[in-house]
Amino acid sequence: MADRPDESLTAVVLAGGRGTRLLPYTTSFPKPLMPVGDRPILEILLGQLAGHGFGHFVFAVGHLASLIEAYFGDGSRWGVRISYSHEEWPLGTAAPLKTLADRLTEDFLVVNGDVLSDLDFGAFFLNHRINTPRRVLTIATHPRTLDSEYGVLQAGADGRVLDYLEKPSYPLCVSEGIYAFRREALDWIPAGQRFDFPELVTALICDGQPVYTHEHTGLWLDIGRPDDYARAQQMTAENPEQFALLRDGRSSGTREGPARWPATLAAALPHR
């Protein structure tokens, strides 16, 4: 855990979504301010990232942005610096980054504003930076299992049944909504049009750019999903300190990187 936030470490927080899966609550309340226990999910996330050394934040806001700005202000209450980027119309998940290029460091973090995770953000970012050859994008992933409700047939071209699987399960590698970027990746985002992360990842892969995963098997909840939000509230009710521990830099379940990182994360990063 870093001793104090460092403004040379930048995190972009995507906080502009309308939160349609949590309607009707998000009609008049922005999803990042939805409470988990007695704190908004975005405040928990901000505390985590500040505890891991990140001192410069850009909040990409849209829906009910004024409420988010009123709550977080310039970030001084948390010992960090927060600025805001406003969407005049929905640009998708990746396009807002294009407009921020002049505010971003060579490497930076991007996080969905509704993620609750015990990922070791410091080790994740450090691994992205120090790997050779350099990565343009590292995606934090989580293993999930997709359970089929149906019997699944495998058939040949002539219709002959080759196998029958009764309600099979399929292992998946899913994105946690947490990314480490190299700024040059923004060159693959077209200007002035809607563009989402799946399109960006596909464009980078098709052009042979180094995109990698970082598997995390610990806690990960997408607060935008009603089931995950309900689970987070239940966990908080059972243990009110459950998520307060996250800002201490404690983490679990990652297959990459050390469990510890230098006291000053920025000092350990190569200057290139």
Side-chain angles (χ1 to χ4, degrees):
M1 179 176 175
D3 291 332
R4 54 188 170 77
D6 189 320
E7 287 195 13
S8 70
L9 298 177
T10 299
V12 177
V13 180
L14 303 177
R18 302 189 67 86
T20 55
R21 292 176 296 178
L22 291 179
L23 288 171
Y25 307 108
T26 48
T27 299
S28 56
F29 204 66
K31 182 173 58 172
L33 291 185
M34 292 291 290
V36 176
D38 60 356
R39 289 194 294 162
I41 174 59
L42 184 50
E43 184 178 7
I44 295 174
L45 179 60
L46 178 66
Q48 280 183 271
L49 292 170
H52 285 246
F54 290 86
H56 174 215
F57 293 83
V58 181
F59 285 2
V61 294
H63 179 59
L64 300 175
S66 60
L67 297 181
I68 296 175
E69 292 186 60
Y71 189 92
F72 290 98
D74 63 2
S76 55
R77 185 153 56 106
W78 292 270
V80 302
R81 178 166 63 92
I82 299 176
S83 61
Y84 298 86
S85 174
H86 296 82
E87 288 186 2
E88 295 183 8
W89 60 85
L91 293 173
T93 49
L97 300 178
K98 187 76 168 183
T99 66
L100 300 176
D102 60 345
R103 300 198 217 175
L104 301 175
T105 47
E106 182 180 3
D107 290 273
F108 57 94
L109 201 69
V110 176
V111 187
N112 288 349
D114 57 359
V115 167
L116 189 62
S117 171
D118 65 357
L119 174 71
D120 186 329
F121 288 96
F124 170 66
F125 191 65
L126 185 60
N127 278 317
H128 166 77
R129 286 290 308 271
I130 66 176
N131 273 278
T132 303
R134 291 296 305 277
R135 303 173 174 186
V136 297
L137 176 61
T138 304
I139 305 170
T141 63
H142 201 273
R144 284 286 170 98
T145 300
L146 179 64
D147 297 318
S148 173
E149 299 179 0
Y150 308 100
V152 176
L153 296 171
Q154 295 180 348
D158 61 355
R160 182 175 179 176
V161 174
L162 305 176
D163 198 2
Y164 183 94
L165 304 175
E166 176 61 17
K167 298 181 180 179
S169 296
Y170 300 97
L172 302 175
C173 173
V174 303
S175 170
E176 288 194 336
I178 302 169
Y179 312 87
F181 269 85
R182 195 174 184 194
R183 192 169 52 199
E184 68 185 62
L186 305 185
D187 293 342
W188 279 263
I189 300 176
Q193 66 183 65
R194 184 181 179 89
F195 203 68
D196 288 313
F197 273 119
E199 295 173 282
L200 175 58
V201 174
T202 300
L204 290 168
I205 293 170
C206 289
D207 207 26
Q209 297 302 309
V211 177
Y212 285 81
T213 63
H214 177 109
E215 186 176 60
H216 167 240
T217 59
L219 174 69
W220 173 62
L221 297 174
D222 174 0
I223 299 303
R225 297 181 65 254
D227 289 350
D228 280 8
Y229 183 60
R231 182 184 171 197
Q233 297 290 39
Q234 180 181 356
M235 292 172 69
T236 303
E238 294 172 353
N239 178 7
E241 299 301 315
Q242 173 82 28
F243 300 122
L245 294 176
L246 291 180
R247 74 169 295 153
D248 294 336
R250 303 179 188 180
S251 62
S252 63
T254 181
R255 286 194 180 181
E256 276 200 56
R260 302 180 302 277
W261 59 95
T264 304
L265 177 60
L269 297 174
H271 296 285
R272 305 184 183 182

